[in-house]
Amino acid sequence: MEKVVILGSGPAGLTAALYSARAFLSPLVIEGPQSGGQLTTTTDVDNFPGFPKGITGPELIEQMREQVLRFGTRFEGRNVEKVSVKGNGIHIQCDDGEPIETMTLIVASGASARYLGLPSERALMGQGVSACATCDGFFFKEKEIVVVGGGDTALEEALFLTRFGRKVTVIHRRDVLRASKIMQERARANKKIEFLWNKDVIEVKDVSQGRVTGVRLRDSQDGSEIDYPCEGFFLGIGHTPNSRFLEGVVEMDSKGYIRTFGGSRTSVPGIFAAGDVQDPIYRQAITAAGSGCMASIDAERYLEGLSEH
Ligand code: NDP
């Protein structure tokens, strides 16, 4: 039986692995579908302490991983389907291979980009619809692009997309941005970025052509509708926690964020949570890393408690 299994390989999972490895707990990291997590799809990270000139998301993850490997962590590139608790052990079922039994589990599976849920949006996925500017921006050179949302994600995507697009329009359902002041200033100062306020996207066009040609917008104030042309449609409307495999096992809030009690402990002894999967508020690389450290220390103390009994 494993002592510590960590689900997820973003800053929370890698920091938990670093601490657990240095405590000689020989952690096993199940990397999940997106190795490195959301940081691998961001560009410049200017707010992670210790990098005065900034660092890119993928580089930061690479450096964390290198540091973790120094202390002998094992990595497996598998996806978890279901977790269940059996006596004092935790049973992890993956989509392939043998199940894993462990004494403690640190859930650091992060969160995934949200979509509006429109049928047209689903139909045009990969044909102009994307939730990852870093992955797909390149395909929209000199094109007109829209980004939906009013938070930091939307503005960061919009700013990044100005490297490629002729024009980037941020479509927001209200007339006040949720994004941080600095991001607002940067976006407003960029001549390629325009804003459309009080607009809900009700359809992505044009499914019959098999590619994005525009969006149908409804004004949230007066209900009027317009068509707005674009070739790229990017989502920046927040994230959903990746916690489905724990449904009915640990307590979660109505959105699926895992509830933690006094640090990283969940409602089930031996299961700990760190990073975006349990954090609807801060969601920063640095807070994720900090909570990964907490989870590792909590798991270590839990194991000490077991060995005393
Ligand atoms: P937020 O929840 O902050 O913002 C989501 C935005 O999308 C809001 O403006 C919201 O509108 C809008 N939205 C949500 N659902 C819909 C919908 N169905 N239709 C239309 N619009 C919708 O999420 P973010 O991902 O932007 O940010 C999350 C956290 O991550 C924040 O703490 C942020 O600071 C951080 N972050 C930091 C970055 C950085 O520092 N560089 C980069 C990216 C994220 P409304 O405002 O009306 O609710």
Side-chain angles (χ1 to χ4, degrees):
M1 184 178 299
E2 300 285 344
K3 286 190 186 126
V4 180
V5 172
I6 297 164
L7 304 185
S9 48
L14 292 178
T15 308
L18 178 64
Y19 274 74
S20 300
R22 285 175 48 81
F24 300 119
L25 294 172
S26 182
L28 169 65
V29 174
I30 309 291
E31 296 196 55
Q34 189 180 17
S35 176
Q38 290 178 68
L39 267 190
T40 56
T41 62
T42 59
T43 47
D44 301 332
V45 179
D46 284 330
N47 51 11
F48 201 93
F51 299 94
K53 297 190 174 98
I55 184 165
T56 68
E59 273 170 350
L60 180 57
I61 283 293
E62 198 42 52
Q63 294 205 16
M64 285 185 187
R65 205 182 159 94
E66 206 180 307
Q67 190 175 359
V68 166
L69 285 170
R70 253 178 73 202
F71 300 100
T73 297
R74 290 163 297 144
F75 284 87
E76 285 189 12
R78 301 166 75 184
N79 298 321
V80 173
E81 277 189 340
K82 188 76 197 140
V83 169
S84 49
V85 180
K86 289 186 181 155
N88 263 348
I90 298 155
H91 182 89
I92 304 165
Q93 185 68 51
C94 294
D95 59 359
D96 63 348
E98 287 290 300
I100 303 163
E101 306 287 337
T102 180
M103 294 162 87
T104 67
L105 174 66
I106 296 175
V107 184
S109 45
S112 300
R114 287 180 54 204
Y115 288 83
L116 293 173
L118 302 168
S120 52
E121 174 193 55
R122 201 171 314 121
L124 294 170
M125 202 83 81
Q127 308 299 324
V129 172
S130 169
C132 179
T134 345
C135 319
D136 300 324
F138 182 79
F139 302 113
F140 297 91
K141 277 187 186 151
E142 287 306 309
K143 305 242 166 52
E144 295 207 4
I145 302 170
V146 302
V147 177
V148 186
D152 279 333
T153 298
L155 297 196
E156 191 178 63
E157 289 207 346
L159 282 161
F160 180 72
L161 288 166
T162 59
R163 298 186 195 183
F164 309 100
R166 185 166 60 235
K167 185 173 95 179
V168 179
T169 307
V170 175
I171 300 176
H172 185 31
R173 62 183 177 185
R174 296 186 296 139
D175 61 358
V176 180
L177 292 168
R178 188 179 288 279
S180 56
K181 289 277 173 296
I182 183 153
M183 293 298 277
Q184 292 197 30
E185 274 171 26
R186 278 189 203 162
R188 287 181 204 275
N190 192 307
K191 289 195 173 60
K192 279 190 175 179
I193 295 183
E194 285 181 15
F195 290 89
L196 270 181
W197 304 108
N198 299 317
K199 298 281 184 286
D200 287 312
V201 178
I202 55 172
E203 188 189 343
V204 186
K205 304 180 101 166
D206 183 346
V207 176
S208 65
Q209 290 193 45
R211 63 184 176 89
V212 172
T213 59
V215 280
R216 181 94 179 146
L217 304 174
R218 182 180 294 145
D219 192 287
S220 55
Q221 307 286 299
D222 61 18
S224 60
E225 293 184 11
I226 53 162
D227 283 333
Y228 191 81
C230 64
E231 285 156 283
F233 178 82
F234 284 78
L235 282 305
I237 61 167
H239 298 85
T240 306
N242 299 322
S243 59
R244 188 168 289 175
F245 55 84
L246 277 165
E247 262 170 27
V249 180
V250 298
E251 269 183 41
M252 299 177 190
D253 73 7
S254 58
K255 291 183 173 163
Y257 285 97
I258 297 174
R259 284 196 208 282
T260 52
F261 307 88
S264 69
R265 285 181 300 120
T266 69
S267 58
V268 174
I271 302 185
F272 305 87
D276 286 12
V277 75
Q278 52 85 56
D279 173 17
I281 301 169
Y282 303 104
R283 294 182 288 188
Q284 302 295 306
I286 188 69
T287 51
S291 68
C293 159
M294 287 158 64
S296 172
I297 292 173
D298 289 343
E300 190 184 340
R301 290 187 181 153
Y302 173 84
L303 287 168
E304 276 168 15
L306 285 185
S307 62
E308 281 165 12
H309 287 107

